[in-house]
Amino acid sequence: MIRAFIAGLIIAVVAPLIGIFLVVRRYSLMADTLAHVSLLGVAIGLVTRIYPFITAIAAAILAGAGIEYLRTRKKLFGESVLALFLSGSLALAILLVSWIKGVNVNLFSYLFGSITTVSWSDIWITALSGTLIVACIVLLYNKLFMVSADEEVAIASGIKAERLNFVLVLLSAITVSLATRVVGTLLVGALMVIPVITAMQFKRGFKGTMILAIILSVIAVVAGLFASYYLDLASGGSIVVISLLIFGGSLLVQRGR
């Protein structure tokens, strides 16, 4: 439980930190696409007997680079590229899993999250990667904000938008892979998006929305982990359901105002 809380709190901070840039750019489907690619990475790890956490991160980073390359160089629509990687990676993951026997339990924990499977190795990787992500956001915050708000104006201002988009995709890939153990590959996209759109209901500006989204994400993760532990539920489902309840509450508050 202690390991799950440490990993969960790190993910609760990092997920909306990246998610807000994706939401503003109307690129929310990126999180789900990279989550399915991470599942393929997990399947590769189980087949090759390599630590699945490492193969999931590697697969997500490679896919993120491929998505951004196809989107910018081949002039394909962003939604088409995401659909290509989402369906393709899921199909490959299903094929790999169908060839292996005795991995259903392990795969279930990656699909929906499980607090009992979080190890100290996972925590060290999560902490180091999370620190890297936060540092990159802090250093590149102004440029990422400009590119997300209006890419054409950012380019006209001399900002190299293509490189920043590539960095954002890579950070998103790492974030998705980190959250697989606690939230699960099928639900990680929700943790990156729901706290952000909930915070947006209060109209506090970009930075204020980011801070509020992190607070709401932490509340959802902590409450979800408690519910998962005491009610014997999947941690990912518990966290996302609580996030949805908070979102519903924000709508009621705004209607009352």
Side-chain angles (χ1 to χ4, degrees):
M1 192 64 178
I2 293 174
R3 295 194 300 268
F5 265 106
I6 296 173
L9 289 174
I10 296 173
I11 293 166
V13 173
V14 173
L17 198 61
I18 296 296
I20 189 169
F21 292 103
L22 298 180
V23 171
V24 169
R25 292 173 62 86
R26 293 176 174 82
Y27 221 33
S28 302
L29 190 59
M30 170 67 78
D32 287 322
T33 301
L34 293 176
H36 285 77
V37 174
S38 295
L39 181 61
L40 172 60
V42 170
I44 293 174
L46 294 174
V47 170
T48 59
R49 299 186 182 279
I50 300 174
Y51 190 38
F53 209 15
I54 300 298
T55 53
I57 292 177
I61 290 176
L62 290 175
I67 289 171
E68 192 61 22
Y69 176 80
L70 290 175
R71 187 183 71 85
T72 57
R73 301 298 174 86
K74 301 300 181 180
K75 306 301 182 182
L76 295 177
F77 291 110
E79 295 83 358
S80 302
V81 177
L82 294 178
L84 178 68
F85 275 82
L86 190 152
S87 56
S89 59
L90 182 59
L92 289 174
I94 292 173
L95 287 177
L96 286 177
V97 170
S98 66
W99 290 339
I100 324 171
K101 296 181 179 179
V103 297
N104 292 334
V105 176
N106 290 333
L107 192 61
F108 185 86
S109 67
Y110 283 102
L111 285 171
F112 304 104
S114 175
I115 59 176
T116 60
T117 59
V118 178
S119 65
W120 284 112
S121 298
D122 296 336
I123 290 176
W124 281 112
I125 295 175
T126 302
L128 292 174
S129 302
T131 302
L132 173 64
I133 293 171
V134 172
C136 288
I137 294 298
V138 171
L139 292 174
L140 301 174
Y141 174 80
N142 291 330
K143 294 181 179 180
L144 286 173
F145 170 73
M146 289 189 65
V147 171
S148 300
D150 195 322
E151 187 169 341
E152 293 182 359
V153 173
I155 294 174
S157 302
I159 295 176
K160 297 181 179 178
E162 185 175 335
R163 292 184 181 180
L164 287 174
N165 289 333
F166 186 76
V167 170
L168 182 61
V169 169
L170 291 184
L171 295 179
S172 302
I174 297 173
T175 301
V176 168
S177 301
L178 295 179
T180 54
R181 279 299 180 94
V182 176
V183 185
T185 56
L186 297 184
L187 299 173
V188 62
L191 184 62
M192 296 179 70
V193 172
I194 295 176
V196 174
I197 61 176
T198 303
M200 284 181 171
Q201 304 304 312
F202 297 92
K203 300 177 176 63
R204 293 180 176 271
F206 192 88
K207 187 173 293 185
T209 299
M210 176 185 290
I211 295 172
L212 182 57
I214 292 173
I215 294 173
L216 296 176
S217 177
V218 170
I219 293 173
V221 168
V222 172
L225 289 178
F226 270 115
S228 174
Y229 181 78
Y230 287 108
L231 301 178
D232 194 22
L233 301 172
S235 56
S238 302
I239 292 170
V240 172
V241 167
I242 291 174
S243 297
L244 288 172
L245 292 175
I246 296 174
F247 174 71
S250 70
L251 294 179
L252 293 176
V253 169
Q254 290 306 309
R255 175 175 291 187
R257 289 183 177 181

